[in-house]
Amino acid sequence: MQFFSGINDFRFVAIFMIVAGASACSSNKDSHFDQRGIAPEGKHEVYQGPLYQAYRSVQESKDREKCDQQNREMQSILITALDLKSGEILKNSLVQKNHPEEYVPFNKSYLVNTPKKPATKGWKDESYSWNLVYDYYVKNVDKANPQFWTTIDTYVRSLITDDRKRVVYGYNLTLNYNQVSQIPALKETLEACNTDTRCTQPRWSEEQRTLIKSIPAYSFYQSALESSRSFKDQRYQIGKLFERIQNDFILHREDYNSMISHTKIEGKNTFSLSLDSGIFSETDQTLIEKSITSVWKNDLNSIVINWKKATPSMDLFHILFTLEPNNRSFVNFNLKEINLFPFTAVRTVAHEYGHVLGFDDHYYTVWNSEKCEYHAQYNEEDIMSDSETGDVTNLEWQTLLDKYGNR
């Protein structure tokens, strides 16, 4: 991925969930990987409003790291410039575009329609950082145009969102794509010990023990458990480790949506869901519907959307379109909200709909505290990992059939 390949590069704008790093300034007696609270939007936290407030929330946190302190001057320069330009950035999202094949009118602004790119096999790992965006800013600010400020705003909002998850909310974002798949088995093993009031050591397999030692958030409590001499302290460490692993399990699990119906006619599966039409015009509805159904289909499976008026809106999943450009789109499953912003990529809508179907993100962001950089890990073949290149996988269709079929 090229870091500045475009304002709607899904792999930068949306591929950020997992971040690692222990706080250099924490005063907690427990692990500084403790979960300090779920973000208001759940696992899809997005920062809205003046960027300076977000910057302060990171820099004033007792859990900030050495990297955050080192990045402080760069962040201040970028964020101050963007807050001063916020009015122009919003205006640019509303002004009429001259490329209708790329900028598709939606509500009071635009979605971006870029051709699907061919996918390559296997997992990709690419780094991004405050240093990278700052270097781009310094080299190009003298010849800045509206597109430049839109690009910078997009990347800074992504970085500040990742920083807030890591520092303010305390997400355990050390997990890579290989480790996430093993969390359910870890939870099951530890749960058996946690519920047995006499248990003082989980019955880890050798593979699980190796995995626990490789994840800082888990190894902290496992090491404390192994060095404990009192029964009370052993049970405490088991409880804390279980709490940490269970939180990670919840954040990465696939959800079940009871509002989805399934029919099968002549061997072909159709999955249906009603959406609230809200304030959107028929043209807007058609755009949303096409962006979803053109991706979620193959020879044996398809998606059908039924538009209805919900009273109240919480009765159905509904779309919110906020005139604050360059933020990451996200779904709040509990509130039945599909949040879109100006310049959201059309194929990203299909990715967000995957969350409505119950799928978690299949991409991961890993923090390297030694290099002060994030790593985006993604699979170009999967729509839930990379909307720019991905399709619905056979496993995802089978998961839908297992969840919603024959009901």
Side-chain angles (χ1 to χ4, degrees), residues 92-191:
N92 185 49
S93 73
L94 303 176
V95 69
Q96 184 174 349
K97 306 300 179 185
N98 297 322
H99 306 285
E101 70 283 355
E102 181 179 358
Y103 292 96
V104 184
F106 182 77
N107 198 258
K108 297 179 181 179
S109 183
Y110 295 87
L111 302 185
V112 178
N113 186 30
T114 54
K116 179 180 181 294
K117 297 181 180 180
T120 58
K121 292 186 177 181
W123 283 86
K124 308 295 184 295
D125 186 315
E126 297 180 358
S127 63
Y128 61 99
S129 65
W130 283 101
N131 277 312
L132 190 56
V133 69
Y134 184 73
D135 286 347
Y136 177 82
Y137 170 83
V138 170
K139 291 176 182 177
N140 295 277
V141 68
D142 289 340
K143 50 186 175 182
N145 56 28
Q147 182 61 62
F148 167 84
W149 290 111
T150 294
T151 301
I152 291 290
D153 191 49
T154 300
Y155 297 140
V156 166
R157 285 186 179 276
S158 286
L159 283 164
I160 202 69
T161 296
D162 292 333
D163 286 351
R164 279 165 58 81
K165 284 186 176 182
R166 172 173 53 84
V167 176
V168 178
Y169 295 113
Y171 278 44
N172 174 25
L173 303 178
T174 67
L175 303 168
N176 61 39
Y177 67 91
N178 280 321
Q179 295 166 336
V180 167
S181 63
Q182 301 179 64
I183 290 177
L186 290 179
K187 175 179 175 292
E188 183 177 353
T189 299
L190 187 55
E191 190 168 22

Side-chain angles (χ1 to χ4, degrees), residues 321-379:
F321 189 75
T322 306
L323 285 177
E324 187 166 295
N326 310 320
N327 261 325
R328 305 176 191 172
S329 299
F330 68 95
V331 169
N332 187 319
F333 200 85
N334 292 331
L335 297 180
K336 301 185 179 70
E337 294 176 352
I338 305 170
N339 289 264
L340 305 179
F341 300 90
F343 299 148
T344 296
V346 170
R347 288 191 108 250
T348 297
V349 179
H351 168 91
E352 300 306 331
Y353 190 78
H355 293 313
V356 175
L357 294 172
F359 293 105
D360 190 26
D361 287 312
H362 296 164
Y363 57 75
Y364 307 93
T365 298
V366 181
W367 170 245
N368 185 322
S369 59
E370 293 182 0
K371 295 183 178 181
C372 297
E373 65 183 20
Y374 293 98
H375 284 257
Q377 298 182 338
Y378 58 95
N379 179 353

